[in-house]
């Protein structure tokens, strides 16, 4: 008999990944995540990050992080309910609520944690969760932790959502409709006004995960709810502090009642140490910067429009994105991965995204333009796209 410690069953699965051609190593950064990065030892233009506003390596955020460390230390030392709740955690929540134009905001250690903690705390047996089929993995996992029943509706299909609501309204106590605010693979925005209207008609609650909308949409990045002016009509407005805000963390914004309940029942807050002071300090500086000026979001949108129009003019298919997320659709899976590899050889890092992350035959490289890119960097990237596109007969 083989030794149990050899983990033969995992070795077999790993071999399966290799046989399927999906085994990979993680890319390694040799420095900060910025518009150009040192990737596996080579300097390249970075079109793969979620660092929308260029905040991840911003001098003001770094300074605020250092100052917070000097006053509060490297770690929070405990979960919030014991002795890990510092005044800066509460200040951050007040600042977030003000920024999001909601009564209150409750912070988590990540966006993932926020979904893992919030959904199970606000639903129970006898409730129904209705989820968009393209919702993020952390919503799916978070829903699995809930004792409520779950069902999905076709992506952004309002008629289908209504059908599901109509069929189920009388069978359940509470109903929670969950959607991403911005869908990360195509860059399309949820049809929130229609969703909220249906929710109100059928007396359901709404939960919007705005990880790719916060810092991007709405006035100075206040998010999708602000973009559609739906304040007070979305019950749970989730954001991450790890993407546009450039640090780490997550939150849910909404009512004071929501805050009070999560304060008692959100498991990541009861059983996991609170955000480190450096993160809190840097996040607060980022929020102050956004509340001072629309300079950062303006530059993000300006850069995204510039890059999209240049790629479109060359003849690339950039899909139907409504946000700075810019997919370049190649189609075939192997060709997509080869395109990404060749772009990297030529100094541009853009991740290839293929089945099962997106439907078969819709492989794409996903370009993430940020406020931190210079026009010169974007021009250089476009030149590389043109060169590789011609070499591979993607462009005529
Ligand atoms: C990225 C993402 C998350 C996870 O956020 P982290 O702060 O990185 O944990 C959650 N939901 C959605 C929709 C996301 O895109």
């Amino acid at each position: 008999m083989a030794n149990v410690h050899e983990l033969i069953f995992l070795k077999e699965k790993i071999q399966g990944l290799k046989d399927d051609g999906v085994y990979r190593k993680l890319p390694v950064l040799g420095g900060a995540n910025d518009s150009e990065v040192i990737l596996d030892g080579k300097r390249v233009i970075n079109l793969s990050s979620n660092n929308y506003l260029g905040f991840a390596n911003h001098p003001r955020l770094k300074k605020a992080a250092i100052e917070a460390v000097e006053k509060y230390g490297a770690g929070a030392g405990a979960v919030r309910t014991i002795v890990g709740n510092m005044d800066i955690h509460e200040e951050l929540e007040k600042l977030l609520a003000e920024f999001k134009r909601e009564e209150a905001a409750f912070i988590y250690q990540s966006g993932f944690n926020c979904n893992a903690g919030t959904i199970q705390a606000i639903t129970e047996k006898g409730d129904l969760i209705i989820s968009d089929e393209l919702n993020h993995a952390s919503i799916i996992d978070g829903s699995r932790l809930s004792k409520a029943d779950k069902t999905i509706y076709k992506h952004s299909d309002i008629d289908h959502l209504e059908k599901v609501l109509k069929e189920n309204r009388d069978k359940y106590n509470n109903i929670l409709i969950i959607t991403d605010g911005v869908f990360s693979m195509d860059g399309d925005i949820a049809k929130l006004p229609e969703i909220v209207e249906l929710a109100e008609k059928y007396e359901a609650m709404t939960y919007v995960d705005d990880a790719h909308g916060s810092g991007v949409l709405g006035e100075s990045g206040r998010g999708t709810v602000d973009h559609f002016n739906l304040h007070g009509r979305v019950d749970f407005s989730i954001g991450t502090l790890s993407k546009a805000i450039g640090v780490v963390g997550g939150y849910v914004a909404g009512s004071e009642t929501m805050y009070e309940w999560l304060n008692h029942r959100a498991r990541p807050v009861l059983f996991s140490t609170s955000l480190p002071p450096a993160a809190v300090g840097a996040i607060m500086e980022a929020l102050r910067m956004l509340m001072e000026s629309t300079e950062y979001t303006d530059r993000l949108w300006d850069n995204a429009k510039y890059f999209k129009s240049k790629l479109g003019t060359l003849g690339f298919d950039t899909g139907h994105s409504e946000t700075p997320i810019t997919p370049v659709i190649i189609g075939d899976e192997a060709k997509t991965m080869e395109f990404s590899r060749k772009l990297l050889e030529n100094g541009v890092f853009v991740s290839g995204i293929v089945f099962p992350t997106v439907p078969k035959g819709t492989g794409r490289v996903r370009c993430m333009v940020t406020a931190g890119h210079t026009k010169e960097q974007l021009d250089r990237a476009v030149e590389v796209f043109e060169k590789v596109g011609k070499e591979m007969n993607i462009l005529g």
Side-chain angles (χ1 to χ4, degrees), residues 234-248:
V234 169
D235 303 284
F236 305 95
S237 185
I238 280 68
T240 170
L241 301 164
S242 336
K243 289 181 173 139
I245 301 301
V247 192
V248 71

Side-chain angles (χ1 to χ4, degrees), residues 110-112 115 136 138 180 209 211-212 240 242-243 249:
S110 75
F112 196 107
N115 285 326
H136 190 258
S138 60
D180 278 15
D209 181 346
H212 283 276
T240 170
S242 336
K243 289 181 173 139

Side-chain angles (χ1 to χ4, degrees), residues 226-237:
D226 190 77
H227 171 76
F228 288 118
N229 194 19
L230 290 167
H231 293 289
R233 296 177 68 194
V234 169
D235 303 284
F236 305 95
S237 185

Side-chain angles (χ1 to χ4, degrees), residues 22-239:
V22 292
Y23 182 86
R24 48 132 183 80
K25 290 223 158 37
L26 297 174
V28 180
L29 287 188
N33 195 322
D34 218 322
S35 55
E36 289 190 21
V37 290
I38 310 291
L39 187 77
D40 296 324
K42 187 177 151 201
R43 188 171 190 87
V44 295
I45 296 173
N46 177 14
L47 283 175
S48 289
S49 82
N50 294 317
N51 181 23
Y52 286 106
L53 300 173
F55 282 0
N57 190 37
H58 195 287
R60 278 183 66 177
L61 272 76
K62 290 202 278 192
K63 183 161 176 280
I66 291 164
E67 283 169 6
V69 167
E70 279 166 355
K71 179 162 181 200
Y72 293 93
V79 300
R80 287 183 80 184
T81 47
I82 310 283
V83 67
N85 184 42
M86 294 167 161
D87 55 11
I88 41 170
H89 290 112
E90 303 223 335
E91 276 169 43
L92 170 58
E93 291 183 327
K94 292 206 173 67
L95 198 60
L96 267 172
E98 186 190 339
F99 177 65
K100 296 293 284 186
R101 300 183 165 132
E102 300 288 346
E103 274 177 31
F106 189 72
I107 51 171
Y108 287 89
Q109 302 89 340
S110 75
F112 196 107
N113 247 358
C114 178
N115 285 326
T118 307
I119 300 171
Q120 64 165 327
I122 58 172
T123 54
E124 59 191 8
K125 199 169 167 19
D127 295 341
L128 177 67
I129 295 169
I130 309 180
S131 195
D132 186 290
E133 67 178 336
L134 293 189
N135 278 345
H136 190 258
S138 60
I139 294 176
I140 298 170
D141 289 9
S143 301
R144 281 185 186 141
L145 293 171
S146 162
K147 294 198 172 72
D149 284 350
K150 298 112 201 169
T151 186
I152 58 170
Y153 62 98
K154 289 190 202 124
H155 176 53
S156 282
D157 185 334
I158 298 301
D159 292 337
H160 189 222
L161 174 59
E162 176 150 31
K163 186 164 168 276
V164 173
L165 279 164
K166 204 179 273 178
E167 278 170 7
N168 290 290
R169 188 61 200 99
D170 294 339
K171 299 183 200 155
Y172 290 95
N173 300 328
N174 289 325
I175 292 186
L176 181 68
I177 303 171
I178 307 186
T179 180
D180 278 15
V182 172
F183 291 87
S184 61
M185 293 304 146
D186 288 292
D188 54 323
I189 305 173
K191 294 177 180 155
L192 269 197
E194 289 95 325
I195 293 172
V196 166
E197 212 154 283
L198 271 188
E200 288 171 353
K201 180 172 166 191
Y202 289 91
E203 295 187 22
M205 300 179 291
T206 42
Y207 183 109
V208 177
D209 181 346
D210 215 16
H212 283 276
S214 349
V216 176
L217 285 168
E219 190 197 344
S220 212
R222 282 172 172 77
T224 312
V225 173
D226 190 77
H227 171 76
F228 288 118
N229 194 19
L230 290 167
H231 293 289
R233 296 177 68 194
V234 169
D235 303 284
F236 305 95
S237 185
I238 280 68

